[in-house]
Amino acid sequence: MTDEQGLVVVAIDGPAGSGKSTVAQRLAAASGLEYLDTGAMYRAVTFVALAKGIDPEDEESLAQIATNMTLSMEPGGAIVVDGVDATTQIRGPEVSRAVSAVASVAEVRTELVSRQREWARRRGGGVLEGRDIGSVVFPEAKLKVYLTASPEVRASRRAREVTDLDYDTVASDLARRDALDSNRTNDPLVRADGAQVLDTSDLSVDEVVDELLTLLNSDSSNEQR
Ligand code: DC
């Protein structure tokens, strides 16, 4: 089954540390679709804003950055913004702390959502991960997934990824970001209608990917009947 535009889209949403990135990349590789990390796009806008000394509350300037930035997201994971390789910095603590504020700006979201739709249109679809993919960007996606995990498991996963912050700092940053992402007015993190909800706390990556591949393939076989 494809949506009305003939795209094959897998939408993966969920809070930080739920396993989205790992699962989405593995699912993309296994299904032959391309992968888009939409969080990296919000991080890229934040990176440029911080580099230019722009106040994260200055919505007009943030919207201008989102509209004007040249963003290249290479298949290997490199993120180049306005010609600068920001792959490492966009994951750093400064960007991580400011990104929720930037992602709450309506004009920034409108611009990035339009870039995400265009990205998928050019490729005939893809595996997109974020917070609003199944609810806003592609509500007609072929497969919609909401990944979650307990706050403790999510914080431990993130603490393992970052070497310079202790568990308590990571856990409180994560809780703060969860609250901002879920309670904002513009396109908050929600379980999209029709999304398959998977709690990954006690599942291995292989188990989650296998489950999603089964769902993806069973959906296609439904269409062929
Ligand atoms: O997935 P991530 O942690 O890299 O996302 C960074 C931030 O961007 C996060 O605070 C939520 C926001 N985001 C969003 O609002 N919508 C998306 N589609 C993806 C990310």
Side-chain angles (χ1 to χ4, degrees):
M1 187 176 75
T2 54
D3 69 9
E4 74 276 4
Q5 299 174 325
L7 305 180
V8 178
V9 171
V10 178
I12 302 190
D13 293 304
S18 58
K20 292 187 307 288
S21 299
T22 313
V23 166
Q25 287 177 64
R26 289 271 304 274
L27 185 67
S31 60
L33 294 166
E34 283 190 57
Y35 159 73
L36 183 65
D37 171 4
T38 64
M41 300 171 79
Y42 291 92
R43 288 174 180 273
V45 175
T46 310
F47 167 78
V48 175
L50 291 175
K52 288 187 168 169
I54 285 164
D55 184 338
E57 310 281 311
D58 179 352
E59 300 194 358
E60 206 179 310
S61 299
L62 293 173
Q64 272 171 17
I65 291 172
T67 308
N68 297 328
M69 73 177 173
T70 320
L71 180 61
S72 146
M73 304 177 73
E74 284 152 30
I79 311 284
V80 180
V81 201
D82 291 338
V84 177
D85 185 339
T87 315
T88 309
Q89 286 103 313
I90 64 160
R91 308 280 166 208
E94 290 85 8
V95 169
S96 293
R97 284 192 192 118
V99 67
S100 288
V102 172
S104 71
V105 177
E107 292 81 359
V108 170
R109 303 201 66 81
T110 305
E111 170 61 26
L112 295 190
V113 166
S114 130
R115 289 190 189 218
Q116 290 154 19
R117 289 182 177 141
E118 181 58 25
W119 178 92
R121 255 181 237 125
R122 289 223 188 110
R123 292 163 175 78
V127 178
L128 289 85
E129 61 127 320
R131 302 293 189 289
D132 61 341
I133 310 301
S135 55
V136 174
V137 186
F138 283 109
E140 306 297 324
K142 176 178 180 181
L143 176 63
K144 298 201 264 186
V145 183
Y146 185 90
L147 291 187
T148 184
S150 71
E152 296 75 24
V153 167
R154 296 195 286 112
S156 321
R157 286 176 183 161
R158 271 291 144 99
R160 263 183 265 129
E161 282 166 19
V162 290
T163 46
D164 50 345
L165 298 173
D166 61 30
Y167 173 86
D168 289 340
T169 310
V170 172
S172 69
D173 280 354
L174 206 84
R176 193 184 125 269
R177 209 137 66 81
D178 280 355
L180 288 168
D181 293 342
S182 302
N183 298 323
R184 68 177 179 227
T185 315
N186 301 314
D187 310 337
L189 169 66
V190 288
R191 295 172 187 209
D193 283 346
Q196 306 279 342
V197 179
L198 261 184
D199 186 328
T200 67
S201 304
D202 299 317
L203 296 176
S204 68
V205 173
D206 282 345
E207 287 171 323
V208 179
V209 173
D210 283 351
E211 170 79 24
L212 298 186
L213 276 171
T214 306
L215 287 168
L216 192 59
N217 293 331
S218 67
D219 219 24
S220 315
S221 55
N222 284 347
E223 193 218 14
Q224 284 158 16
R225 262 183 243 134

